[in-house]
Amino acid sequence: MMAISVPVFMGVQRAAWDVVAQLDVKHAQNSITTYITASGGDVPPSFTKSAKPYKRTYVLADFKHVNAIADTSDVEVTLSPDVSLCYTLSNTTVDKNGVPLAPSTVGGGRTWGADGTETVQNYRIYGTNKNALDHFYVYDSRTGTVTREPNPDHIPAASRDTEGSVMFRSSGVQYMSNYCDIDLHYHLYGI
């Protein structure tokens, strides 16, 4: 009886860990959408949050365009135990397989180019659970969907805690985005 019940239990537990990562990605997407709406369309700076053995809350940073003041917003992202998340801004012109994409006019928030023009800024959110690294979840604002992708090399969505920044120049605002470990490892989206 034990020979049957232990593998079944392990399969159920692995599926639960997998679902938790998927839900954290969806919740982060809702929080970022809330931020974009509350800010009048601006996107929050990118961030990476590594897996910790406890639940935690991250308050999205809020870089004001006036006087280059860094502050925090009222919008939070909650991370479940053992889940790592990476939120990165995306101005790539290819999909995850390297296929060229049409210019996007939907799906994200806005950023300001060096010439002062407003552009649509798409983003991606990756999530993994350190106990179930066979797959990762990714939300792509360009498509508006969360997909489950294979992770044969067991790369976490984030291996450290970082936060993107904004550089203020006389020619305009420049967003400095963090890249996600998964993007870099698998060379996704032309990175």
Side-chain angles (χ1 to χ4, degrees):
M1 189 67 154
M2 285 292 282
I4 295 171
S5 62
V6 170
V8 169
F9 172 75
M10 292 303 293
V12 170
Q13 189 173 36
R14 181 173 292 281
W17 287 325
D18 203 41
V19 167
V20 168
Q22 179 185 20
L23 290 174
D24 278 7
V25 168
K26 288 180 180 179
H27 289 263
Q29 182 270 323
N30 288 336
S31 295
I32 290 167
T33 299
T34 298
Y35 177 101
I36 291 169
T37 301
S39 70
D42 294 337
V43 293
S46 62
F47 66 83
T48 63
K49 296 296 170 192
S50 61
K52 303 288 186 211
Y54 48 85
K55 180 179 177 177
R56 60 193 175 137
T57 301
Y58 169 67
V59 179
L60 293 177
D62 184 16
F63 289 93
K64 307 284 186 201
H65 294 281
V66 180
N67 300 325
I69 298 170
D71 201 356
T72 55
S73 70
D74 294 329
V75 182
E76 298 177 339
V77 174
T78 300
L79 288 89
S80 300
D82 301 325
V83 170
S84 64
L85 282 180
C86 178
Y87 154 70
T88 185
L89 303 176
S90 169
N91 56 8
T92 61
T93 57
V94 296
D95 71 9
K96 67 182 176 189
N97 300 312
V99 177
L101 295 167
S104 178
T105 56
V106 298
R110 69 174 180 221
T111 57
W112 302 94
D115 61 357
T117 59
E118 181 179 339
T119 59
V120 171
Q121 181 67 65
N122 291 291
Y123 61 91
R124 291 184 305 279
I125 306 166
Y126 293 90
T128 56
N129 188 304
K130 75 174 191 174
N131 301 304
L133 287 172
D134 298 341
H135 294 88
F136 64 87
Y137 287 92
V138 60
Y139 171 81
D140 187 341
S141 68
R142 193 179 279 272
T143 63
T145 59
V146 175
T147 58
R148 182 178 191 245
E149 302 290 340
N151 190 6
D153 296 333
H154 301 99
I155 304 300
S159 58
R160 63 199 178 291
D161 291 353
T162 63
E163 193 169 279
S165 61
V166 176
M167 291 179 60
F168 295 88
R169 298 184 173 168
S170 59
S171 60
V173 176
Q174 179 180 353
Y175 288 79
M176 306 301 290
S177 185
N178 292 321
Y179 288 110
C180 298
D181 295 341
I182 289 174
D183 269 343
L184 295 172
H185 183 79
Y186 293 119
H187 305 291
L188 300 175
Y189 300 93
I191 294 173

